[in-house]
Structure formats: C-alpha cells, structure tokens
Amino acid sequence: MFLRRPVMDIEGWSPDRSIKKESWRTVLTLAYQSLGVVYGDLSTSPLYVYKSTFAEDIQHSETNEEIYGVLSFVFWTLTLIPLLKYVFIVLRADDNGEGGTFALYSLLCRHARVSTLPNGQLADEELYEYKKDGIASGNRGFGLRLRSTLEKHRVLQRMLLTLALIGTCMVIGDGVLTPAISVFSAVSGLELVVSKHHHQYIEVPVACIILLFLFYLQHYGTHRVGFLFAPVVITWLFCISAIGVYNIFHWNPHVYKALSPYYMYKFLKKTQRGGWMSLGGILLCITGSEAMFADLGHFSQLSIKIAFSFVVYPSLILAYMGQAAYLSRHHIIENDYQIGFYVSVPEKLRWPVLAIAILAAVVGSQAIITGTFSIIKQCCALGCFPRVKIVHTSSKICGQIYIPEINWTLMLLCLAVTIGFRDTKHISNASGLAVITVMLVTTCLMSLVIVLCWNRSVLLSICFIFFFGSVEALYFSASLIKFLEGAWVPVALSFIFLIVMHIWHYGTLKKYEFDVQNKVSINWLLGLGPNLGIVRVRGIGLIHTELVSGVPAIFSHFVTNLPAFHQVLVLFCIKYVPVPHVRPDERFLVGRIGPKEYRVYRCIARYGYRDSLMDDVEFEKDLVSSIAEFIRSEQPGTNGSLSDLENEEKMAVIGTTSTHAKGLKIWDDDEDVFSEEQSTTELTEIITSPEIPRKRVRFIVPESPRMDREARVELQELMEAREAGMAFILGHCYVKAKTGSSLFKRMVINVGYDFLRRNSRAPTYASSFPRASTLEVGMIYHV
C-alpha cells in the first residue's frame, strides 16, 4: 500500500464552481480577503516611492514643479497600468479562472499548439478546461497566418517559451527584492525617533531580524495567520488615506491640480535627463500590480476589481496626494530621509503607524513569497525547473504550498541584498527593473492572446502593445540606466535561473526523445506470447514511464536481466497538460497493450499545472479501480492488437474512485462496506478465495448491465494480483552526451544537467511508494 499522507480535498474542486453565479455576499467576502493576499505589496508602495524618486536624480525646489510632476506621474501610472490595463483588460484573459504568466502561455499553447511538452495527445484536447474557453473557434485572416507560422517554426516556439521564462525569472527575482525593500522601508521610520547618527546601525539589524522571522514562518503556512492579513492591510490603507486627507486639507488643498497631465510635461521639461532617470523611482508605485492577475485563481475577477477600484486605488491616490501636499509646504530638506513617508505623518502618530507599516510590509512580503512558490511549482509541472520538495500547508486550500529549498534560498538572497545595499535607493532600482520586466512580458503575451485566443483584430492587438508597451518601455529604459546602481541584481538572478531552467528543460526533452527512439517494438512484445517469455509471478507490476505510447526500453532491460514479472503489468505515466486543473472524472486514460490474455495495461494520470500531484487521492486504489472500471466498461468481444497500442484514441477516460457513482467500487477488509450507496444501488460482490492469507479485496459492481464471463475472470485475476501486492519499477537514468557531440552539448548535458539531476529531489510519486516494494532499474541514456 502507499504510505498515508494528509489528504487534500482537491478532488472536491470543480470548474463548475467558477461559472456559477456568485452572490454579492460571496463577491464582497472574496474582495475583503483579496485585500490581504493580493494588495499587501501594492499598498505599501507609499513607504518608498517619493524617497526613491528624489534619491539623487532630482531635487525638491520651492516652485513645487518637481513634486507636482511626480504626483502627476504617480496618478496616471496607477490609472493606466493597474486600473486600465489589468483591471479592465488583462484580468479577462484568465485560463479557466487562473491568471499569471503561465496562464497566458497556457492559453497560447492550446490555441496555437506551440507547447514544448513532448507528450501531448489528441485525447487531451477533449478535457473540459481545454475546450471550455472556445478553443474550437478558428482564427481568420492574420490570426490564422500567425498561428500557422508559430506552429511551423520551432525557433518561434522556443522564443515564446523563453519570453514566458524571463517573466517567471523576474517574478522570482521580485520575490527576493520585495521583502527587502518593503521591510527596510517600513523600519526606516526609526530614523525619525532615533538619533540620526545611530539609526543606520539599527535599521539594518532590525530589518534582518524581521526578514528571518518572516521566512521562518513560511513552513507553518499562511492559513494559520492568514485571517490577520486583510485586517492589517485594511488598517494600513485607512491610516495612509486618513493621513493623506489630513495633509491635503491642512497643508495644501489645491494639490489636486497636480493630477493634470500638464504637470508631467512641465516636470520633464525642467528636469530633463534627471527627471527621466527618476522614473525608476516613480515606477515603484505599481509594485505588486501583477499580483492582481497572478492570484486570480484564489478569488474572482469581480472581487479583485471591486477591491482595487473602490478601496486600494482611492486610498493610494489620497496617500500620494497627502505626501505631496506636505512636501509642497516644506522645502527645506535637512537630511536625505526627510523626503520619505514618515516625515508627513503627524508626530504623535508615528509610533503606531510604524508598527502598522511593519505588519503591512510583512503581509505584502508574504504574498510575493507564496507567489514565488506557486510559480516554481508551475515551472516544475512544465518540465522547466529541477524537482523540488513541495509541502502543502493547508488541507483545504490547494494553492498554499511551501518549498523548503526555495524558501531558504530566497531568505539568503534577501538578507544579502539588505546587508549589501543598506539603503532603499539601490534596492528600489533593482525592484523597479524586475517589476517592469514582468509587465512588459505580460503585455507581449497579451497582444498574442488578443489575436490568437480572442480572435480580435490585429489592429486592436497593435494598439494594445503600442500604448501600454510605450509607457512600460519608458519606465524600463529609466530602470535599465540604473544598471550599475542596483538594477544588475534582478538581471543577474534572472540570468542564473534562466540558465537553470533552460538546461533542465533541454535535458528533459533529450531524455524523452531517447525514450521515444528506443522504445520496444510491439512485435517484440507479441512475439513473447501470453507469458511474455518470462515467469509470471503473483502481484501487480507497475512500471513508471514518461512515454504515452509504446513499451519503454526499461522493460526490456529489466526482463533481459531478470526474466520474471508479475501476472498483471501496468505501464504507468504521470503527465501534465496545459490546463490549470484536470477534473477528477477525467483523471485517467486507460488502455490495453496486446491481447487480453497478456494482462498488460497502460494508465496515464493527467494533471493540470496547478493541480496537486499524488496528495489528492488514495492513489493505489484509484489506479487499480481505474483499470477495473476499464475492464468492466470495455466492449465485449474486443481484443487488444497492434493498433490498440499505437492509436491513443482507443484509450478510455476513467475518473477517480470518487467519480464512479454508478460504476465499479473497490473495497478492502479494513473499510466499512456498508455505505450509503449499498442502500440505494443493487450490487454484486466478486470475492476472492478465503484461504489466501492476505488482505481481502472486493470489487463491488453494479448488477446491470451484467459483465460477460471473460471480464469477470479478468477482474478476478486483478483482485488476486492486488491482494498479492504491488511492486514499483522506477527507472534511474544517467543521461550522457553521445560520442561526437559538440563541446557545448557535452557541457550542458554531462555537467549542467547531470549536476541538477543529482541535486534535485526524486519525483513526487517515488516518495509515495513503499521502499520495500520499490525497485530501481538503472540505464545510461546517450543523447
């Protein structure tokens, strides 16, 4: 039996939930919860925007043209990017309720068939979520030509994947920089209550202690303290908006005039190159906007739109206007930190606001760290990142995960950035470049989605990328010019992660190609006869393979050296498909290899890139039950042949045990057979002989329609095999570059991929197999 784990109720998830009409109470509840999860990072940006903008490129003068110009830029940036681009346009490009860079890439993979995953099948296109968004609708005109071009040229497909990975790497880099700048900016309030000669020696240690505490708490999961997130952010938004209103009426009621775009023109005209370089600081006002799209799967479009439009957006505008109003009446800057956030806070409120700011910074950092975990999980699902240990911290919410290796790596990098820079200027330069790069990637992918997925005019796509791309390119250039002043950090981090992802993806593809080229001929299998030319012992032999068709070379390698195998042989494959979730009733594809008397089956378990692998089902029972259901539902008189192996359409779609409402049930002696279904459904039991001293297994099948005798005999053998036990044959391959390969390929395969393979985790399913029943078969792959 499989080792027992905490079971996650992901099988209770249904895509139908997302299409049900939500009540206003539900929407408002989700909007309230989203404030703590989605907007923690964005809401803390007033802590450091003005300070970063006025760091060194421009100076605040008595004419107030600089501060009015910055306020105008902040207002229109918040209006155009988060409000117009994300709330009104990008949020609509969801992948069956999921958002983020991989959601856009997944949409493109399905509509243009540009996925680099090598194990795609026609049966995957029949999945509920694959066709739900109208993929069957054809493109016309330019859209059709663009789709054909992408499908024909592998180079363009690799470029599209690289673009998605660049955005992913920058999100990971943001996971390092956001906690650093948020926490450091929050504790910078100490500079106003501590001696100016000592505050710099206090801020860095305090920030590091908070960061250590933050990353230490990750393994407990956000569900334990998540109930505090929304109240903290709401309290923080109330504080900054109330202080903003006070400063506006107390210092400068006419500051609203600065919202006119004319002040942006005056700002650039006066400051020229310095003003352009300062845009890197202004850019930070939209830090965290991408989370609205990335965290869409946990909430709903309407709830996120309501929370931003009616709470976050007005609160931020009031906060920035209040700071500008205060600074417009305080022109004498004695210290460089006097332009920061806390100087505009009334002196009596600074300590309480400081405490709330630190809590809000921790909440905002928590969101980006959790988001980094999620995107790493998606990369692993697409074969673009080495396998890591994924721990589910909540039994109810599948999106709450913890990855130990990534957590401690982020912590070390975050502490290194904080200690290395020791100020917000350099950290903000780094964070700004990471943020704007992710937005540029989203804009590029979104322009393709408009044409290929929405079937809209190419003119609309060009207008989208030209308008928003121009704005973001302006900020990107201003951030890139600060390369030597901190912006090199996200570039370096992304470069390292991008190399790792490409090496792992390249090695994975080459390994799969080797499997395909060296799979065993079906004629060889048929030539062995019903006994496969070996001794058939009692039990089920489960061979894991990456192949979705054919007999893997590992099988012939095994039987050549050990000519004995189990009476039931299952070639099992776990694969991810380019959809967020696979419904439980579509989980398995089951087919037969060879004639019935061979007792050889193929079972493919399909998962979406956001599904939880192996933790969501009692896997052994589901596996055996799916094969039994296939035997029961198979048409009488059919017999496996060569065409059954080669034609994937012969495979049947079988759900998990929980979905067999009117089908076959499986029952062990340690389970209660008197279920509710027995009182409502007429059942027949096929019971094994009592003299076998093993756990008894029963298949409970419906009385009608009756199975033929051949199917009952086959089910009897399957039960006896399960009672005898299950053995797991796992391939342990060593990938080497074949003789004559180029130096570059030898370096990538023999050094890079081999290093990553030896230091990555074993597959998730391998840890679920009992060690006593597991056998690893080693092979050398010359690719």
Side-chain angles (χ1 to χ4, degrees):
M1 289 291 291
F2 279 77
L3 299 177
R4 296 283 182 170
R5 291 185 176 184
V7 177
M8 178 173 296
D9 187 25
I10 193 173
E11 296 298 3
W13 175 92
S14 171
D16 296 330
R17 293 183 184 178
S18 61
I19 61 176
K20 289 182 180 179
K21 188 68 174 178
E22 294 177 325
S23 65
W24 277 107
R25 181 177 180 180
T26 303
V27 170
L28 294 178
T29 301
L30 289 174
Y32 167 78
Q33 294 173 346
S34 70
L35 290 171
V37 177
V38 178
Y39 298 108
D41 187 13
L42 183 61
S43 64
T44 55
S45 57
L47 287 170
Y48 44 79
V49 168
Y50 282 127
K51 186 173 182 178
S52 300
T53 304
F54 290 96
E56 59 180 18
D57 301 309
I58 56 175
Q59 298 296 325
H60 179 39
S61 64
E62 294 186 4
T63 61
N64 287 327
E65 290 183 350
E66 294 85 0
I67 193 66
Y68 285 172
V70 170
L71 175 59
S72 184
F73 264 105
V74 167
F75 172 76
W76 287 106
T77 302
L78 278 170
T79 303
L80 293 178
I81 304 299
L83 185 63
L84 181 59
K85 176 188 170 182
Y86 280 96
V87 169
F88 289 103
I89 301 177
V90 176
L91 283 179
R92 296 178 56 210
D94 65 302
D95 181 12
N96 294 286
E98 298 291 341
T101 304
F102 272 101
L104 295 177
Y105 180 70
S106 175
L107 283 174
L108 293 172
C109 285
R110 300 210 302 276
H111 286 77
R113 305 180 194 277
V114 295
S115 174
T116 57
L117 293 175
N119 54 0
Q121 296 173 280
L122 290 176
D124 297 337
E125 299 183 11
E126 297 300 320
L127 289 171
Y128 175 82
E129 291 201 354
Y130 201 103
K131 3 176 241 187
K132 192 176 97 172
D133 56 3
I135 191 172
S137 59
N139 298 105
R140 298 183 299 274
F142 180 81
L144 182 60
R145 294 195 297 272
L146 177 61
R147 174 180 173 178
S148 301
T149 303
L150 287 174
E151 291 177 354
K152 290 178 181 177
H153 296 86
R154 297 287 295 176
V155 175
L156 295 179
Q157 297 175 19
R158 294 191 186 100
M159 290 176 61
L160 192 62
L161 175 63
T162 301
L163 183 65
L165 291 181
I166 288 174
T168 300
C169 293
M170 283 295 180
V171 171
I172 298 173
D174 199 24
V176 174
L177 298 167
T178 293
I181 190 173
S182 297
V183 173
F184 196 88
S185 299
V187 301
S188 65
L190 295 172
E191 63 196 9
L192 295 179
V193 294
V194 180
S195 171
K196 65 179 181 180
H197 300 292
H198 298 92
H199 73 82
Q200 58 182 336
Y201 301 109
I202 297 177
E203 290 176 7
V204 175
V206 171
C208 290
I209 291 173
I210 294 175
L211 289 171
L212 284 171
F213 181 71
L214 171 64
F215 283 99
Y216 172 76
L217 287 179
Q218 295 304 311
H219 74 280
Y220 290 108
T222 57
H223 69 287
R224 298 181 185 273
V225 291
F227 67 94
L228 292 175
F229 286 2
V232 167
V233 174
I234 289 176
T235 303
W236 169 250
L237 289 173
F238 174 77
C239 285
I240 61 176
S241 57
I243 293 171
V245 171
Y246 168 80
N247 285 331
I248 291 172
F249 285 99
H250 188 264
W251 298 109
N252 188 355
H254 301 289
V255 73
Y256 68 90
K257 295 180 179 179
L259 302 182
S260 169
Y262 173 70
Y263 284 90
M264 291 192 292
Y265 166 75
K266 291 182 65 176
F267 172 77
L268 293 177
K269 182 179 180 181
K270 180 178 180 179
T271 57
Q272 297 181 357
R273 186 176 186 274
W276 168 61
M277 294 179 65
S278 69
L279 293 179
I282 298 173
L283 163 67
L284 297 176
C285 71
I286 54 176
T287 300
S289 299
E290 186 74 20
M292 285 193 289
F293 186 44
D295 292 333
L296 182 60
H298 299 294
F299 303 98
S300 65
Q301 287 188 31
L302 186 58
S303 63
I304 289 179
K305 290 178 179 180
I306 290 175
F308 180 79
S309 303
F310 295 100
V311 181
V312 180
Y313 178 74
S315 297
L316 291 177
I317 297 300
L318 288 174
Y320 287 115
M321 289 177 65
Q323 287 187 60
Y326 177 87
L327 294 173
S328 66
R329 294 293 183 265
H330 296 78
H331 304 108
I332 301 176
I333 309 300
E334 298 177 356
N335 301 287
D336 58 351
Y337 59 82
Q338 287 289 85
I339 202 73
F341 166 77
Y342 289 102
V343 71
S344 65
V345 178
E347 190 171 351
K348 295 181 179 179
L349 298 177
R350 283 175 183 171
W351 276 110
V353 171
L354 173 63
I356 298 172
I358 292 176
L359 290 175
V362 169
V363 170
S365 302
Q366 173 66 53
I368 190 65
I369 293 170
T370 304
T372 304
F373 293 159
S374 297
I375 205 163
I376 290 291
K377 177 180 179 291
Q378 295 175 38
C379 288
C380 293
L382 292 178
C384 295
F385 199 85
R387 293 183 295 267
V388 291
K389 181 180 180 180
I390 298 176
V391 180
H392 294 274
T393 58
S394 173
S395 60
K396 297 180 180 179
I397 305 176
C398 63
Q400 293 187 3
I401 60 175
Y402 167 68
I403 304 178
E405 298 96 324
I406 301 301
N407 183 65
W408 303 125
T409 301
L410 291 179
M411 185 194 73
L412 293 176
L413 292 173
C414 192
L415 292 175
V417 167
T418 304
I419 297 173
F421 288 145
R422 294 188 298 277
D423 60 40
T424 56
K425 182 182 75 173
H426 291 86
I427 303 177
S428 64
N429 292 338
S431 180
L433 183 61
V435 168
I436 199 61
T437 304
V438 176
M439 293 183 175
L440 273 172
V441 169
T442 300
T443 300
C444 294
L445 294 177
M446 189 65 204
S447 64
L448 294 176
V449 168
I450 291 174
V451 176
L452 297 176
C453 305
W454 291 357
N455 297 322
R456 298 298 180 87
S457 167
V458 65
L459 181 62
L460 183 63
S461 175
I462 292 174
C463 291
F464 177 85
I465 194 172
F466 178 78
F467 180 74
F468 292 108
S470 298
V471 175
E472 292 164 355
L474 178 65
Y475 282 115
F476 180 79
S477 62
S479 298
L480 198 60
I481 203 68
K482 301 289 187 67
F483 184 83
L484 298 178
E485 300 175 26
W488 60 269
V489 172
V491 175
L493 290 175
S494 299
F495 183 71
I496 294 172
F497 280 109
L498 194 62
I499 289 178
V500 169
M501 289 179 178
H502 270 295
I503 289 176
W504 184 262
H505 186 66
Y506 178 77
T508 302
L509 286 178
K510 289 299 179 183
K511 177 176 173 291
Y512 186 83
E513 291 173 1
F514 181 90
D515 278 330
V516 172
Q517 295 167 3
N518 292 272
K519 61 184 179 182
V520 179
S521 170
I522 183 61
N523 294 323
W524 174 84
L525 181 66
L526 295 175
L528 295 177
N531 290 328
L532 301 183
I534 56 179
V535 178
R536 302 297 290 270
V537 298
R538 299 184 65 231
I540 298 177
L542 180 66
I543 298 180
H544 178 263
T545 174
E546 301 290 340
L547 295 175
V548 294
S549 64
V551 180
I554 187 177
F555 175 70
S556 63
H557 184 71
F558 178 83
V559 299
T560 300
N561 293 275
L562 185 63
F565 216 86
H566 300 81
Q567 66 189 101
V568 175
L569 179 64
V570 181
L571 301 182
F572 180 63
C573 173
I574 296 176
K575 76 168 187 176
Y576 284 92
V577 289
V579 295
H581 305 279
V582 174
R583 303 206 309 184
D585 57 349
E586 300 174 319
R587 176 71 71 214
F588 294 104
L589 282 176
V590 183
R592 188 188 301 278
I593 299 177
K596 286 186 177 181
E597 59 266 22
Y598 280 41
R599 303 297 190 250
V600 181
Y601 310 93
R602 178 183 307 285
C603 186
I604 300 173
R606 301 180 292 180
Y607 289 85
Y609 57 81
R610 283 191 179 271
D611 278 337
S612 301
L613 181 62
M614 301 299 290
D615 286 345
D616 54 343
V617 289
E618 296 180 37
F619 195 73
E620 181 187 3
K621 180 179 291 187
D622 271 348
L623 176 66
V624 177
S625 179
S626 66
I627 297 173
E629 180 67 18
F630 167 76
I631 295 171
R632 185 192 72 84
S633 59
E634 192 177 22
Q635 291 294 330
T638 60
N639 200 18
S641 63
L642 175 61
S643 60
D644 291 338
L645 175 63
E646 295 177 344
N647 190 354
E648 64 184 39
E649 294 180 355
K650 294 291 184 180
M651 302 187 73
V653 177
I654 306 293
T656 58
T657 305
S658 60
T659 63
H660 299 165
K662 299 182 180 179
L664 182 145
K665 300 289 183 181
I666 189 171
W667 173 66
D668 295 332
D669 273 350
D670 58 352
E671 297 177 10
D672 185 10
V673 72
F674 297 103
S675 61
E676 294 180 2
E677 295 176 4
Q678 274 190 289
S679 61
T680 59
T681 308
E682 185 180 1
L683 303 173
T684 301
E685 298 181 359
I686 304 176
I687 308 177
T688 58
S689 54
E691 65 272 8
I692 300 176
R694 291 180 179 272
K695 179 171 59 178
R696 300 177 65 190
V697 179
R698 302 184 184 191
F699 286 131
I700 305 176
V701 298
E703 181 68 25
S704 178
R706 294 182 178 275
M707 293 185 296
D708 61 358
R709 180 179 177 279
E710 193 175 357
R712 287 181 175 271
V713 170
E714 194 171 357
L715 279 176
Q716 180 77 23
E717 289 190 24
L718 182 61
M719 278 191 300
E720 292 177 355
R722 184 174 186 253
E723 283 186 341
M726 181 179 290
F728 308 95
I729 312 300
L730 302 177
H732 192 81
C733 62
Y734 299 88
V735 182
K736 300 292 182 184
K738 58 186 176 183
T739 306
S741 300
S742 63
L743 176 63
F744 177 77
K745 183 177 180 180
R746 293 200 304 271
M747 290 292 293
V748 170
I749 296 296
N750 296 346
V751 179
Y753 183 75
D754 185 64
F755 174 81
L756 294 176
R757 181 190 60 79
R758 286 187 286 107
N759 289 277
S760 64
R761 296 274 184 170
T764 306
Y765 51 81
S767 61
S768 300
F769 299 157
R771 291 183 178 272
S773 304
T774 303
L775 179 64
E776 289 192 1
V777 180
M779 286 188 66
I780 298 179
Y781 285 20
H782 291 283
V783 299

